[in-house]
Amino acid sequence: MVKKQPFYITTPIYYVNDAPHVGHAYTTLACDVLARFKRLDGFDVKFLTGTDEHGQKVEKSAEKAGIDPQNFTDKVSKNFQTLTHKMNFTNDDFIRTTEQRHKIACQDVWKRLLDAGDIYLGSYSGWYSVRDEAFYVESELINNYEGTKIAPTGAEVEWLEEPSYFFKLSAWQERLLAFYKKNPEFILPLTRRNEVISFVEGGLQDLSVSRTSFKWGVSVPNDDNHIMYVWLDALTNYITAVGYPDTEHEEFEKFWPADLHMVGKDILRFHAVYWPAFLMAANLEPPKRIFAHGWWTNEGEKISKSLGNVIDPLELIETYGLDQVRYFLLREVPFGNDGDFSRSAMVRRINGELANDFGNLAQRVLSMINKNCNGQVPEKGIFTKEDEDFLDRVDGLLSIVREALDIQAFHIALESIWTEIRNSNHYIDHQAPWTLKKENPDRMNTVLYILAEVIRQLAMVAQPFVPEAAGKMLDQVGVSELNRNFNQYGLKGRLNVGVKLPKPQGIFPRYVDELDS
Ligand code: MSP
């Protein structure tokens, strides 16, 4: 048997200071679609997500809730685990940074950095934002409308003065630039890559990597007064989960370096500058790609707790349906750009693209087969030039989707699938099998055979995006669960004539607003 190629994909680990919102669901959804696609495409996939549980921000939230940090994180982490189930995410592991396996990994990374001479003791005096868990230099700060200094992200900052260990980031500038040059697709999209490169070219300062003024974190080996900076701790999760510090661990050997860390644009610098520098200093390989996606606003406004416009993914699923939400989030906005969430746009896409375009196509074809072909995949006759061209186009779809997903262009993948769906609706209108019923039943059978086969192919490539609906569609064209991988796809896998099909059922219901009905 041929050995499967490994594919390791990660989400950021989520701060447990708050309930999950649509932004969190979005990052993990993108990874889930890729993980599902790669599994169907024959890869050995590891898909990791989890929670980021240390640091001042989480400690403060626990304090505010009046619970000790460990119990607090246990509780909030559960909400993220619930979300992964509710969104039908297929992560293979869920890491929590308060786990023992992770603390051991962090301390080992620290020792490697220390042994390499990249960590020294000093003292930090400067600005810190607890919300961002980030250090800022004076020149990065801006004044808010009251004249108070704030971080460029809008977060409050405070002045810190405390003993601290530093990582010699300044020494890594040239090596990082050389690494970006050698790996032109390490950071995507390319505009983000350019931003990172100019930031690094502007010069790097040594980075404070320990704190002494609070306790909620992983202790620095041999110096209990310090806990590790939460980002050094958090980033390490990506190697903890594949068995580090055991670098001979089967999973480490198979999956490291990771193929893709998916992140939001706000946390790109940590992933594309600090993380490869830490890894190279620790004599470990950097990941192969960091993709930074954009941010959602809600009906034109920044999403924030203080504005009270946070979008709860669980409410969305309740209201619109899971596959509908999954589809909308990846369809609405070119992946990488910022996007605006609006309920009217959601309803338009659900009714126009899922119910009308895709749902009706399946419904029309399958109910005709049910009524006129004995409920079986119909006999096929000779194909016309139009039939051949139609099938050829659909046969080409998988490679278009594969190429798009290889650069995380989810919107292009979906657009190409929907182009073929629309094309199929033209084909059915043009062929008008309902008229052929009387005039030429053999031709009607052929046309319905071709359409059933096309529905099979469309459902196959749609699986990663709308798994439940695509699964139902495949059931209805009689494809067994064993035949849903892509190696079965294409010419080799045409539908078998005569297979008995179940009674068709609607797959994508229209959304009807209760107020309108
Ligand atoms: N804990 C860090 C990540 C550590 S990774 C080693 C963190 N956590 S977070 O919970 O604040 O954010 C996680 C992800 O959610 C980020 O990728 C962020 O971009 C994403 N989003 C948060 N709000 C968002 C939107 N409004 N829109 C889209 N994604 C957003 O950062």
Side-chain angles (χ1 to χ4, degrees), residues 289-510:
R289 177 170 301 164
I290 316 284
F291 191 101
H293 67 67
W295 267 47
W296 286 93
T297 48
N298 185 0
E299 314 274 350
E301 284 195 327
K302 193 179 163 185
I303 298 178
S304 87
K305 245 200 329 190
S306 50
L307 287 174
N309 65 351
V310 171
I311 304 167
D312 172 4
L314 299 181
E315 183 270 317
L316 289 184
I317 299 172
E318 268 307 280
T319 311
Y320 301 104
L322 173 59
D323 280 345
Q324 285 74 358
V325 173
R326 290 176 60 109
Y327 174 75
F328 175 78
L329 290 176
L330 292 176
R331 174 72 158 133
E332 181 68 1
V333 180
F335 200 69
N337 293 4
D338 290 339
D340 187 38
F341 181 88
S342 99
R343 287 180 186 258
S344 55
M346 168 90 94
V347 171
R348 260 200 312 278
R349 291 207 185 264
I350 290 175
N351 289 346
E353 293 166 10
L354 293 177
N356 286 353
D357 292 348
F358 204 7
N360 278 352
L361 170 69
Q363 189 65 21
R364 289 206 277 179
V365 172
L366 296 171
S367 41
M368 274 207 80
I369 292 179
N370 186 259
K371 282 195 205 108
N372 305 298
C373 311
N374 222 1
Q376 295 176 356
V377 175
E379 291 286 340
K380 56 186 165 171
I382 293 164
F383 291 170
T384 64
K385 169 89 173 56
E386 189 183 352
D387 300 343
E388 299 282 4
D389 289 349
F390 178 41
L391 279 171
D392 278 354
R393 281 187 61 140
V394 179
D395 284 339
L397 189 55
L398 174 62
S399 54
I400 296 175
V401 170
R402 184 185 286 122
E403 251 174 63
L405 292 187
D406 275 343
I407 51 164
Q408 289 73 57
F410 299 94
H411 54 294
I412 294 179
L414 285 174
E415 179 54 40
S416 1
I417 300 174
W418 256 257
T419 303
E420 294 317 320
I421 290 174
R422 278 185 228 113
N423 200 34
S424 307
N425 280 317
H426 291 151
Y427 176 86
I428 191 171
D429 290 342
H430 186 223
Q431 298 291 334
W434 41 88
T435 326
L436 293 170
K437 204 164 119 180
K438 283 202 192 102
E439 292 164 10
N440 188 349
D442 285 349
R443 177 64 192 155
M444 175 196 74
N445 282 342
T446 304
V447 166
L448 290 175
Y449 175 86
I450 289 172
L451 283 161
E453 165 61 14
V454 165
I455 288 169
R456 177 184 77 88
Q457 300 220 27
L458 293 168
M460 289 286 268
V461 284
Q463 290 180 93
F465 296 93
V466 288
E468 223 172 282
K472 279 192 201 154
M473 228 179 248
L474 289 169
D475 289 343
Q476 297 196 22
V477 285
V479 177
S480 86
E481 298 211 2
L482 296 171
N483 288 330
R484 294 182 184 182
N485 288 334
F486 294 145
N487 55 8
Q488 310 282 342
Y489 184 94
L491 290 169
K492 280 182 292 181
R494 295 269 187 251
L495 278 178
N496 288 328
V497 170
V499 173
K500 189 94 191 126
L501 301 183
K503 201 170 170 350
Q505 282 165 6
I507 287 172
F508 288 114
R510 284 184 70 76

Side-chain angles (χ1 to χ4, degrees), residues 12-15 21 23-24 52 231 234 238 264 266-267 293-296:
I13 46 173
Y14 301 103
Y15 285 129
H21 66 67
H24 305 128
D52 189 354
W231 270 102
Y238 300 132
D266 53 317
I267 54 172
H293 67 67
W295 267 47
W296 286 93

